[in-house]
Amino acid sequence: INVLVLDTEVYSNTGGQASKSTPLGAQAQFAHAGKATGKKNLGLMMATYGHIYVAQIAMGSNKAHALKVMQEAEAYPGPSLIIAYSPCIAHGLKGGLVNAQSEEKLAVDSGYYHLWRYNPSLEAEGKNPFILDSKAPNFELFQQFIGHEVRFNALGRSFPERAKMLFEQAEEQAKNTYKHYKRLASMDYSDDAK
């Protein structure tokens, strides 16, 4: 079974209400003052099963990475899950969806979204199954990234103090997620580590 999830972070087919996929600080139906909790990490949740190939991609950030992940997922002798960051109309991108690819690149460059793979087959070879493919993010771009999207910047117009607080929390959460991914990617799976 190979599954591709287009992660729009919005339940757009049901009116765009807040859900577990809505990121911290985003405005959504039933979260007009901005969502106060982070989104679930579907990829890491699935990786904990230990037998599923899991990866996060953002085609606009790195097309070669997206292709490599799809080839690895297809070749993997078990279930695979690819989570593709996918801007949608409900994000309210400046300039419209014609800018979706560049927005995906900025999402990765700013540390909002990360590219990685979890390939359980590597552990049998004494290698770390978790591979962080994102370069070190430039977190100075984080606020610029969320400023490009109405789902975030509308909060600043309605609730400026709350928006500032939530956006700072979102940036801190992104930094912590990246640190966690770096720790996972640095684990030693060689025979000597056992």
Side-chain angles (χ1 to χ4, degrees):
I1 297 172
N2 300 311
V3 177
L4 174 66
V5 172
L6 301 178
D7 186 6
T8 64
E9 301 184 324
V10 176
Y11 279 7
S12 50
N13 63 335
T14 58
Q17 73 260 20
S19 69
K20 291 178 184 173
S21 67
T22 306
L24 193 149
Q27 267 192 335
Q29 190 172 348
F30 308 121
H32 290 288
K35 186 163 175 258
T37 58
K39 71 179 262 190
K40 67 181 173 185
N41 192 325
L42 177 63
L44 284 186
M45 288 169 56
M46 292 301 105
T48 62
Y49 286 95
H51 70 282
I52 303 170
Y53 177 95
V54 184
Q56 284 192 174
I57 64 172
M59 198 169 76
S61 174
N62 189 329
K63 290 174 181 56
H65 175 261
L67 178 61
K68 180 178 186 166
V69 162
M70 289 181 188
Q71 290 170 332
E72 285 182 358
E74 180 65 26
Y76 180 71
S80 66
L81 171 67
I82 299 171
I83 303 164
Y85 183 68
S86 303
C88 80
I89 197 164
H91 289 195
L93 300 184
K94 284 186 179 176
L97 283 177
V98 71
N99 296 317
Q101 294 286 297
S102 59
E103 190 72 359
E104 288 180 27
K105 181 173 179 0
L106 185 57
V108 173
D109 291 348
S110 70
Y112 178 84
Y113 192 81
H114 308 281
L115 309 179
W116 57 267
R117 295 171 284 148
Y118 176 82
N119 186 345
S121 300
L122 295 176
E123 191 170 349
E125 300 171 22
K127 298 177 184 172
N128 187 338
F130 186 90
I131 302 154
L132 179 60
D133 295 308
S134 293
K135 294 177 184 170
N138 178 357
F139 286 107
E140 291 180 15
L141 298 173
F142 190 88
Q143 298 301 323
Q144 177 186 336
F145 168 76
I146 61 176
H148 278 191
E149 302 189 2
V150 171
R151 65 183 175 149
F152 293 110
N153 66 37
L155 184 63
R157 291 189 301 272
S158 305
F159 304 96
E161 285 135 28
R162 181 169 169 78
K164 183 179 184 310
M165 177 195 67
L166 289 176
F167 297 163
E168 286 172 359
Q169 287 177 7
E171 184 174 342
E172 193 60 33
Q173 184 181 66
K175 289 175 181 176
N176 289 336
T177 298
Y178 183 69
K179 285 179 197 171
H180 183 65
Y181 288 156
K182 278 181 62 176
R183 284 191 293 270
L184 289 174
S186 69
M187 292 175 71
D188 188 352
Y189 281 76
S190 65
D191 288 337
D192 295 337
K194 293 180 182 175

